[in-house]
Amino acid sequence: MPEIDLIQLYAHMQQEMLQKLQTGSAAFVHSGTKGDNTETNWIEWFRSYLPKRYNVDKGIVIDSTGKQSQQIDIIIYDSQYSYLVFRQGDGILIPAESVYAVLEVKQDLNKTHIEYAMEKAKSVRELLRTSAPIKHAGGEYPPKVLHEIIAGILTTRSAWAEPIDTNVFQYLNDRKQNERLDFVCCISCNTFVVDNNVFINEYNRINKPVIRFCGKDESLVFLLLNLLKRLQDIGTVPAIDFSKYSEKLNGSVYRM
């Protein structure tokens, strides 16, 4: 049987996404409108390529104590068990337990935007997440250990002259655990992936993370395949402990 040329297939996919982002960027002059259009393009692309078990939206992440994250450009969250998603007009509030990944979208890759994405990631990772036991026919599974929420930044071009790896490495190293970025994508240059084999208490200046990156003609495909692998490693999100969310509603208790 004839074989499919995966390299050629990936190259076509790369060019298609790059063209879509460049067209949207050129069509809008106002920076806010241009940014919104780019976010929409990214969201639609993820919805096309990620398995249907994942939802993709922009919104705010909340926890059972009422705390909330900053506005997040792209939230990848569970579509099977996320019953507690609030929609108010165009705004979406997503429980922290349901979140797999949060991604910031910018036109340009630079120091300011990387640090901004780190602050967004921190605002999500610092939220409280519950994990309830899971009932089954034979009894009960213990609460799932909480996974590390993936974070990253997606850009079209770089403000730095190529090669950009030295600049990116500088900002990915020596960061606190909640601020770190797992993915830095610049479609016209490279995509950088931080391996997730560093434990929380080992993420410091001595134990630097392993960072892998691809060539400029493979940046989008490299992002997608590595993100799919990272999502696969997480498996399923924890079961939400709805009793913690309902505590805010508990009023007076009437006893007979």
Side-chain angles (χ1 to χ4, degrees), residues 172-174 194-195 197-198 203-204 207-211:
L172 290 183
N173 286 323
D174 301 337
V194 179
D195 282 349
N197 58 356
V198 182
Y203 200 92
N204 53 42
N207 297 286
K208 296 184 182 298
V210 175
I211 302 172

Side-chain angles (χ1 to χ4, degrees), residues 18 21 25 35 42-44 72 75 84 87 93 97 106 111 133-134 151 160 171 174 201 214:
L18 182 59
L21 290 178
S25 177
W42 274 109
I43 288 172
E44 291 303 319
I72 306 299
I75 305 172
L84 204 64
R87 296 180 183 270
L93 304 177
E97 292 89 343
K106 294 293 183 186
K111 174 181 180 293
I134 302 172
W160 296 309
Y171 299 111
D174 301 337
N201 60 351
C214 64

Side-chain angles (χ1 to χ4, degrees), residues 161-180:
E162 296 185 53
I164 66 171
D165 52 294
T166 301
N167 288 303
V168 174
F169 291 165
Q170 177 183 352
Y171 299 111
L172 290 183
N173 286 323
D174 301 337
R175 289 289 173 175
K176 294 180 180 179
Q177 184 73 7
N178 282 343
E179 296 176 341
R180 80 194 187 287

Side-chain angles (χ1 to χ4, degrees), residues 15 17-27 41 156-157 188:
Q15 289 302 316
M17 182 60 176
L18 182 59
Q19 181 63 43
K20 185 175 183 180
L21 290 178
Q22 288 176 335
T23 300
S25 177
N41 287 341
T156 306
R157 54 184 177 266
S188 62

